[in-house]
Amino acid sequence: MTLRLTLFWLACLFATPLYATELGKITAEQLINMQQNHNALVVDVRTAPEWQATGVIANSQKLESFDGNGHFDQEKWLADLEKLKSSPEQPVILVCRSGNRSGKIGQILTEQLGMKNVYHLSNGIQSWIKNGHPVKADCLTKACK
């Protein structure tokens, strides 16, 4: 294989977008871009005490994931998520404290359920705050706007 052909194949490999059922990991800046330019739905999967402790990302939706016993009611959570989405193709960005829970939920959505356009915020709300992005006080409702 010639060097030119090898470089061509490498370029194709690295230019390939995410597969439809692959969870995307994004930065705070990418979240802002997707929220502003692609109507991305930002879903905060933390608990009420966590929302109150740090606040939430503006225009995000609060949808607790795991209950106090660490149980994830997948069916109920998915039904609630679908009510929040404006369309089946709408990008969904999951946010938790550190990226752990959002990554686990994102993997369920993409790998087990085949959902498209699912992302999670790398290092969670901690990275958002660390990078100086604003949060809104938790207003004790489903959505803080």
Side-chain angles (χ1 to χ4, degrees), residues 31-50:
L31 182 149
I32 293 168
N33 179 27
M34 290 180 70
Q35 193 176 35
Q36 292 175 347
N37 300 316
H38 302 286
N39 189 35
L41 172 65
V42 179
V43 179
D44 193 321
V45 300
R46 297 177 298 147
T47 63
E50 289 176 300

Side-chain angles (χ1 to χ4, degrees), residues 51-104:
W51 297 325
Q52 292 170 359
T54 63
V56 296
I57 296 171
N59 299 314
S60 64
Q61 301 292 317
K62 300 181 302 183
L63 186 56
E64 285 185 280
S65 54
F66 296 94
D67 66 18
N69 298 320
H71 180 257
F72 178 58
D73 185 343
Q74 181 175 309
E75 189 174 315
K76 180 186 180 318
W77 194 89
L78 286 172
D80 290 342
L81 176 66
E82 288 304 316
K83 291 175 192 172
L84 297 173
K85 291 175 71 175
S86 62
S87 74
E89 296 80 30
Q90 182 181 25
V92 174
I93 303 171
L94 304 171
V95 177
C96 69
R97 186 181 65 81
S98 65
N100 245 354
R101 280 174 284 180
S102 59
K104 289 177 184 174

